[in-house]
Amino acid sequence: MGVNMGITVRELLRLKGKRRITAITAYDYVSALLAEAVGFDVVLVGDSAAMVVHGYDNTLPIGMDEMRLHVRAVARVVKNPLLVADMPFMSYQPSEEEAIRNAGEFLKLGAEAVKVEGGREIAPLIAKLVSYGIPVMAHLGMNPQKFRVYGGYRLQGRDKEELLRDALAVQDAGAFAVVLEKVPSESARYITENLRIPTIGIGAGPHTDGQILVFHDVLGLIPGLEFKFVRRYLDGFGLMKEALERFKRDVLEGDFPSEKESF
Ligand code: KIV
């Protein structure tokens, strides 16, 4: 009897060139409920959790302990989208053994694939993970875990041939998709046209096979955070603040709870 696995890595490969791939990040029960209800193709438990959930100003501080909790919470909900867990900084760089153990743990917790940042330097690790049954999404262009080396979150991938060498290396190693972050549109188009596997862009223009954004950015949950490549669909912070102010006022004025809201 067939098992309904939802979106698989094979399905994503099949979608390339047929229709655009939709992806969003999620970190907890509510964001996962929303991602599932909308029906995204891919849900990424991103290490961006460090910034948008835990309030750090970069992604380096988050580790396996926090990411485990996020992956568990999201995996309880997400059924149809492909669930990808982001490998946090220093969970895969120190040794192959550590990388395999940590990636394997995410799969045991319910993730269906992991994401790692890097190109040629990480291709042998990608091949190893895939050979042990762990599907890998690669991440090229601006790698947030390398922001100290760049000296900020600078545009990368201006040299499209160089970027293609990395993209081909991760594809040949067995990655099933590649995130392209903060690269010129023209470079993203070139990579997309020259890969068999789908590209998923963030700040990479309109020519990638799919798009991903951070949940909190799309919904405007963090005041003052604005990026050129983000489209904000809601002033979530403003709307929630207004609702909480109304609750507070109702309490102060003795308007809550009413008879109907009491036993
Ligand atoms: O951590 C994250 O949310 C990501 C996406 C922005 C691609 O890596």
Side-chain angles (χ1 to χ4, degrees):
M1 197 163 75
V3 180
N4 182 7
M5 295 177 66
I7 305 277
T8 61
V9 297
R10 273 176 72 103
E11 175 67 1
L12 281 195
L13 289 165
R14 200 189 62 77
L15 287 177
K16 184 175 172 102
K18 298 216 167 54
R19 74 150 167 85
R20 288 174 184 222
I21 294 167
T22 59
I24 189 81
T25 65
Y27 313 96
D28 59 9
Y29 182 58
V30 172
S31 53
L33 278 179
L34 283 161
E36 177 76 24
V38 172
F40 285 95
D41 297 313
V42 177
V43 171
L44 170 71
V45 183
D47 65 350
S48 49
M51 301 169 80
V52 298
V53 178
H54 298 280
Y56 293 109
D57 65 4
N58 63 73
T59 59
L60 306 192
I62 201 164
M64 284 298 295
D65 285 352
E66 297 97 326
M67 288 299 291
R68 255 183 228 112
L69 293 173
H70 294 304
V71 170
R72 265 205 202 101
V74 173
R76 275 183 208 121
V77 177
V78 166
K79 301 285 177 271
N80 195 57
L82 182 77
L83 179 54
V84 182
D86 217 357
M87 299 288 289
F89 184 58
M90 287 303 135
S91 69
Y92 58 102
Q93 293 93 340
S95 73
E96 204 174 85
E97 197 183 317
E98 223 167 307
I100 294 166
R101 185 166 296 119
N102 286 327
E105 205 187 333
F106 278 157
L107 260 70
K108 282 174 182 280
L109 295 178
E112 296 166 287
V114 299
K115 178 168 79 58
V116 292
E117 296 185 6
R120 271 161 287 181
E121 76 282 11
I122 205 145
L125 175 63
I126 293 177
K128 223 3 164 249
L129 292 170
V130 174
S131 78
Y132 287 135
I134 301 169
V136 179
M137 175 180 273
H139 187 155
L140 296 175
M142 201 281 288
N143 285 161
Q145 292 178 7
K146 296 182 183 146
F147 85 104
R148 295 275 182 214
V149 174
Y150 306 140
Y153 297 95
R154 296 170 187 284
L155 188 78
Q156 302 291 318
R158 282 200 179 83
D159 182 341
K160 59 186 186 182
E161 296 300 339
E162 186 69 10
L163 188 60
L164 182 61
R165 275 191 279 279
D166 281 325
L168 289 173
V170 297
Q171 173 178 275
D172 292 348
F176 68 87
V178 55
V179 168
L180 292 177
E181 179 160 1
K182 216 167 175 190
V183 300
S185 299
E186 214 25 64
S187 297
R189 182 210 292 267
Y190 187 63
I191 304 308
T192 302
E193 286 173 356
N194 283 284
L195 288 190
R196 274 182 284 108
I197 59 174
T199 58
I200 300 181
I202 173 163
H207 308 299
T208 51
D209 295 306
Q211 297 287 334
I212 184 164
L213 283 176
V214 168
F215 182 90
H216 292 59
D217 294 343
V218 173
L219 298 180
L221 296 180
I222 302 183
L225 254 199
E226 279 184 26
F227 302 104
K228 176 179 162 71
F229 57 87
V230 167
R231 188 175 297 173
R232 182 197 256 222
Y233 288 84
L234 188 75
D235 173 18
F237 186 87
L239 288 170
M240 287 196 276
K241 181 167 173 275
E242 209 178 290
L244 290 170
E245 280 166 353
R246 281 172 34 218
F247 168 54
K248 183 182 157 191
R249 195 184 54 226
D250 287 351
V251 171
L252 287 174
E253 291 176 358
D255 206 33
F256 177 85
S258 65
E259 280 299 317
K260 253 172 64 188
E261 288 154 336
S262 308
F263 297 102

